[in-house]
Amino acid sequence: MSATATSKPRGRLFFANPGPTNIPDSILHAIGHHAVDFHDPEFMKMYDECWEGVLRVMKTTQHMFMYTGSGHAAWEASLVNVLSPGDTMLILETGNFSESWGRMALDLGLNVRTLGCDWRMGIDMAALKALLEADTAHEIKAIGAVHNETSTGMFLPLDEVRAALDAAKHPALLLVDTISSLGCIDLRMDEWGIDVVVGGSQKGLMLPTGMAFTGVSDKAMEASRNSKLAKHYFSWQVMSARKQRSFIGTVPTNQFYGLRESIRLIEEEGLENVFARHARLAEAVRRCVRHWSGNNGPQLFCANPSRESNSVTAVLMPEGHDAEAIRSTTKNRFNVSLGAGLAKLNGKVFRIGHLGDLNEPMILGTLASIEMALKMNNVPHAPGGVDAAMEYLAAVAG
Ligand SMILES: *Cc1c(COP(=O)(O)O)cnc(C)c1O
């Protein structure tokens, strides 16, 4: 018998991916519901309550449409409903997700302009303002911005994007992907003048994948009356004529039992407390990684402290060390699942998802497993990152 563990890991999977995220047991139980007629008045009552709950999380009193699909479905809906073939859209390219949204816009027949940036620094708001001011003919009909770039762990201050639009007196619609920020990081759709909020079920809302939605402003509703891109399944005009105001076809009723429980959990904790918990856990992760970065160790991918994400942290490996080796050690040896680096960041970064249903010991377990994996893979680092995280969490635990 040997003390060296080589067998299949036991115990609970520690899931630290940035989407999907952990599904609380109470949500899993709620979803395990028998089939119901989605026209049934009792179901419709709950449907309407869920509807109001999602509006509260988006901080809007305007319109919404829901779809059976992943976040990509809501991306597509946000474009095809407000734009026409050949319209120009400006993508704020902050990472892999904004890049993909831009590719979708191209495929749909839009003319895509891109404002790029150093992915470790984020969009320069002065450059955005100058670009908008230069567009005196108002050719740009919409701006696509990703609130939280899940591929890089970078946050985009939407109030500053709105301020740049206002300063340039530019009428473009503001479309915002909040797929990995909704229910994690404060979002004020109405206050910040966001025209379309794109959200999905499987990240901050802690549900299975398969439901997506768009919050829609009056201005975007107006644009949807004249939009000429082809659409049917995602058409807001077609949906508006239905009793459910959404879902062309069968309503995913089981998702709604889960959604009711998700909203109950979020509001029981308090939306602002949910944001504060995400901020606390994220800061603990960053303190740990900053500590490891001593001795030429791994470092935060985000090099701009004002843009650090409270829902995901991307960790950049030292030159010559493979992020995938760390991910396979944590997964195979400790049953801890981390997010991979996407596209050109594959192998260079791994990502720690700290959004949704998480607490301090879950984060500390993940960080401890990563620190062990760094040792096991001979990756240079300053040991003791987990202590730095514990010290912070103990100090703010109250
Ligand atoms: C996950 C994610 C997406 C893609 O959503 P799917 O549900 O996988 O289609 C898009 N944007 C961001 C910011 C994301 O985090």
Side-chain angles (χ1 to χ4, degrees):
M1 226 164 41
S2 152
T4 314
T6 50
S7 58
K8 191 166 167 44
R10 292 294 173 202
R12 195 148 192 155
L13 170 69
F14 268 49
F15 196 67
N17 286 53
T21 67
N22 293 285
I23 305 174
D25 290 345
S26 69
I27 290 184
L28 286 173
H29 291 143
I31 289 169
H33 195 282
H34 60 77
V36 296
D37 178 344
F38 57 86
H39 296 296
D40 183 88
E42 220 170 287
F43 174 76
M44 276 305 292
K45 184 167 169 286
M46 182 192 70
Y47 181 96
D48 290 339
E49 285 166 14
C50 288
W51 191 280
E52 292 303 317
V54 177
L55 292 181
R56 287 194 297 277
V57 176
M58 289 183 180
K59 298 189 178 172
T60 182
T61 57
Q62 302 181 77
H63 316 269
M64 182 168 64
F65 296 94
M66 294 189 169
Y67 323 88
T68 304
S70 77
H72 278 72
W75 259 0
E76 185 152 336
S78 74
L79 303 177
V80 296
N81 279 288
V82 298
L83 296 167
S84 298
D87 274 357
T88 297
M89 167 169 193
L90 176 70
I91 288 279
L92 309 187
E93 195 208 274
T94 50
N96 192 250
F97 284 102
S98 33
E99 221 179 16
S100 303
W101 200 10
R103 270 199 302 277
M104 175 187 275
L106 264 183
D107 285 348
L108 291 171
L110 296 168
N111 175 33
V112 176
R113 280 182 64 178
T114 301
L115 176 63
C117 63
D118 175 341
W119 284 10
R120 297 189 65 187
M121 292 303 293
I123 293 291
D124 174 3
M125 292 298 161
L128 173 61
K129 183 166 165 277
L131 187 156
L132 293 171
E133 277 168 351
D135 181 34
T136 50
H138 295 161
E139 273 175 14
I140 297 167
K141 300 295 178 219
I143 296 184
V146 175
H147 191 199
N148 184 74
E149 240 309 342
T150 322
S151 63
T152 56
M154 301 277 291
F155 157 84
L156 182 69
L158 296 172
D159 50 343
E160 293 180 27
V161 175
R162 168 45 64 197
L165 272 159
D166 290 349
K169 296 194 171 52
H170 200 293
L173 293 164
L174 179 54
L175 318 181
V176 175
D177 171 344
T178 69
I179 297 174
S180 64
S181 59
L182 194 70
C184 312
I185 300 170
D186 194 14
L187 168 79
R188 306 176 190 180
M189 171 169 161
D190 289 357
E191 188 181 325
W192 296 338
I194 301 169
D195 293 298
V196 184
V197 163
V198 172
S201 56
Q202 81 277 23
K203 298 193 186 180
L205 296 184
M206 310 168 285
L207 294 164
T209 314
M211 192 155 78
F213 22 80
T214 46
V216 175
S217 72
D218 293 334
K219 183 175 161 187
M221 263 325 271
E222 192 51 45
S224 78
R225 291 190 186 93
N226 305 314
S227 141
K228 302 224 163 26
L229 279 175
K231 56 193 155 288
H232 180 86
Y233 187 68
F234 294 120
S235 167
W236 297 344
Q237 297 298 324
V238 175
M239 288 182 189
S240 293
R242 291 173 64 85
K243 186 170 152 216
Q244 283 84 12
R245 312 179 298 281
S246 279
F247 298 112
I248 296 178
T250 306
V251 174
T253 50
N254 288 61
Q255 284 275 19
F256 277 86
Y257 292 101
L259 180 56
R260 172 169 64 180
E261 177 60 10
S262 159
I263 292 163
R264 192 194 70 74
L265 288 171
I266 288 171
E267 295 190 332
E268 177 185 69
E269 184 178 357
L271 188 55
E272 305 307 313
N273 294 330
V274 171
F275 299 150
R277 173 169 53 83
H278 279 79
R280 206 161 60 235
L281 297 179
E283 180 59 21
V285 169
R286 290 190 291 262
R287 286 187 184 216
C288 177
V289 178
R290 275 196 213 103
H291 186 98
W292 288 336
S293 72
N295 301 342
N296 299 316
Q299 49 180 295
L300 294 172
F301 181 82
C302 176
N304 180 347
S306 71
R307 300 287 171 87
E308 288 165 346
S309 160
N310 284 341
S311 53
V312 54
T313 297
V315 180
L316 180 63
M317 293 293 283
E319 201 66 51
H321 291 273
D322 184 10
E324 290 304 291
I326 298 302
R327 286 196 339 114
S328 61
T329 301
T330 61
K331 180 65 181 55
N332 298 333
R333 289 290 293 99
F334 306 123
N335 217 10
V336 171
S337 178
L338 301 171
L342 301 178
K344 68 184 184 194
L345 296 178
N346 191 258
K348 296 188 163 56
V349 310
F350 63 85
R351 295 174 303 148
I352 305 169
H354 34 82
L355 68 167
D357 191 42
L358 285 172
N359 61 18
E360 286 79 354
M362 292 161 89
I363 288 289
L364 290 170
T366 297
L367 295 174
S369 304
I370 297 170
E371 192 162 326
M372 287 190 281
L374 292 174
K375 277 193 195 28
M376 291 160 68
N377 286 279
N378 300 314
V379 177
H381 65 285
V386 182
D387 295 280
M390 287 200 301
E391 202 166 311
Y392 170 76
L393 288 172
V396 295

